[in-house]
Amino acid sequence: METRDVDGTERRACTAPECSFVHWGNYSIGVGALVMKDEKILLVRRAQEPGKGRWTNPGGYIEQHELIQDTIVREVLEESGVEASVSRLVAVRDLPRSIHNVYIAFEMSYISGIPQPDGVEVDAAGFYSLEEMASMPVADFTKWLIDVALHAKGDGLIEDKEPVIPMAGYGLYRVPKVNNV
């Protein structure tokens, strides 16, 4: 490996002539859920750093071969015992740093379950009103996401379940079609 200019950016790249490997950088993709039930929002209290003791929306990191919509359904169930389905994509956070983090937030529809913490990542879980949250140590980013979901206009990005060109294995999200054209 050597450091060399690749498309105007210094990157680590393989030196062997038959090798085309380039290390494009370090990235992580996280997902978060905004699940509402009876005008209350599902929150979990973090049992680990970062943010230990803070209330956040459930979420986590995608696995290498997992679609983001499958990740968020899994994470909500793992962290809170609540079953929910994706309604729409409502926000994206881009945080460039040593490991570039992209966070994708989904509004989700409650299906079933009574909030129960997993006892590892989170030590408490429940549905809370905005009034109840006012006296809780809710993470700033979670407060922003709640505001986004509560004040979003339109349908946001929704899963394209019938794309004009079928692409197996893709997770496709789009703005809703106008007049189903």
Side-chain angles (χ1 to χ4, degrees), residues 100-151:
H100 193 133
N101 179 257
V102 175
Y103 186 94
I104 303 165
F106 294 91
E107 184 177 294
M108 299 183 72
S109 299
Y110 171 83
I111 296 173
S112 65
I114 298 169
Q116 297 289 323
D118 69 4
V120 178
E121 292 183 61
V122 301
D123 59 12
F127 284 96
Y128 298 95
S129 68
L130 293 174
E131 294 77 28
E132 291 169 313
M133 285 184 241
S135 63
M136 298 165 61
V138 177
D140 289 344
F141 182 61
T142 295
K143 290 178 186 177
W144 179 78
L145 286 174
I146 291 167
D147 179 73
V148 167
L150 292 177
H151 298 102

Side-chain angles (χ1 to χ4, degrees), residues 45-102:
R45 188 172 60 201
R46 296 201 40 85
Q48 302 172 345
E49 295 295 348
K52 184 176 181 178
R54 308 272 306 179
W55 289 89
T56 67
N57 53 294
Y61 292 100
I62 64 167
E63 297 294 339
Q64 184 69 35
H65 297 283
E66 184 176 49
L67 291 169
I68 58 175
Q69 63 262 31
D70 296 338
T71 299
I72 195 55
V73 168
R74 173 183 55 79
E75 286 287 351
V76 170
L77 187 60
E78 285 177 5
E79 290 187 358
S80 70
V82 168
E83 185 179 356
S85 63
V86 171
S87 300
R88 62 183 178 159
L89 191 151
V90 294
V92 174
R93 181 198 67 203
D94 182 24
L95 184 59
R97 54 185 184 183
S98 62
I99 298 175
H100 193 133
N101 179 257
V102 175

